[in-house]
Amino acid sequence: MAQYAREAVQQGIVSLNHRSRGFMDIVKETLRLLHEKLEIPADYHIAFISSATEGWEIVAQSLTVATSLHPYGGAFGKKWMEYAHRIKPMIEPGLADVLCVVQNETSNGTQVQMETLAEFRRDFNGLIAVDAVSSLGGIVLDWALADVWIASVQKCLGLPAGFGLFIYSPAALKKAEIIGDRQYYNSLLFIHENMEKYQTQYTPNGLGIYLLMRVLQQVPPIEEVDKVIKQRAEEWYEFFTSPDAAGRGMHLLIQNPAHRSDTVIAVEGQAEGIATIKAAALEQGITLGNGYGDWKNTTFRIANFPAIEEDEIAILKDFLRTNGL
Ligand SMILES: *Cc1c(COP(=O)(O)O)cnc(C)c1O
């Protein structure tokens, strides 16, 4: 990453005008690589946005007629609902024309399986928007099961924050055209018209786009990444379901294996013990992910993201074997 950033500075990429030919070529190649490496269908469009949170707003502003439904099980899902309903208030659930689902709920380490998304697809008559911020780039997603996929690059893609992806189907574009929202700088139609020219309607995070391109050039196809991530997740879950872990006061926050995330492992314990182990970890140069929202003091979270190396996992496991709560 440092090497790619250096390269971007040395080659003057960070100072390229974003409407210049050189910059547009980088955008074009990054889009091509996203389609190729993540196996995004050729007819799905990809736009660069500033964050996943912005993506939530785009869904509410440009793709929702009446209101949106938000079946959620954690803090990010709740936050999305609150933002969306400020823009398109919930008047009557039966009128909802968009279903908004957080595929991987980073706050508590749960995930919505593709089978469940397939049921939503079958039963819901409208657009489906999925927040895949902490799973996109880590596991295989069945793109056809939703019309919008939202991600940020700082989770599974392992890049510096401040840049997001908005992936949308032909049906989503068609609906945006029918709604015709052109009220905001980030109305989807403006975004789309600019991305068609490999541009953005505002000055984009050029360094972020370049880093994404360079990272995508060297990542394996998503099927391979998916296998590694799922194998590591299984090993983490075995690690925490062992009597040994229970003896040290740690257990998994999510009891039902079918609901457990592949990319975020949430471990629960007594608040005091959690605070102690986090402090002990810091002393050894290991940062254990804080709990989030309702689980702030009684959990820690382990990121199972592709950029994490085997030896880092081994060090963390050794630490957890020798430290109780
Ligand atoms: C991190 C995260 C977000 C927020 O992403 P930003 O890039 O900060 O907007 C949204 N949803 C989920 C599930 C997340 O993990």
Side-chain angles (χ1 to χ4, degrees), residues 67-69 93-100 118-129 147 175:
T67 190
S68 46
L69 276 186
L95 294 177
D97 54 291
V98 182
L99 183 70
C100 299
E119 284 168 24
F120 290 154
R121 198 51 151 173
R122 199 188 53 219
D123 300 339
F124 185 75
N125 186 19
L127 286 191
I128 297 186
D147 299 288
K175 189 171 177 192

Side-chain angles (χ1 to χ4, degrees), residues 299-310:
T299 59
F300 64 84
R301 292 175 300 164
I302 295 171
N304 183 30
F305 296 161
I308 296 165
E309 308 277 355
E310 291 290 345

Side-chain angles (χ1 to χ4, degrees), residues 86-118:
R86 259 176 247 150
I87 297 172
K88 296 282 158 75
M90 168 53 73
I91 307 149
E92 163 73 59
L95 294 177
D97 54 291
V98 182
L99 183 70
C100 299
V101 181
V102 174
Q103 192 274 323
N104 196 71
E105 181 49 79
T106 323
S107 68
N108 58 16
T110 54
Q111 73 171 319
V112 174
Q113 300 289 347
M114 291 303 126
E115 294 73 39
T116 309
L117 272 185

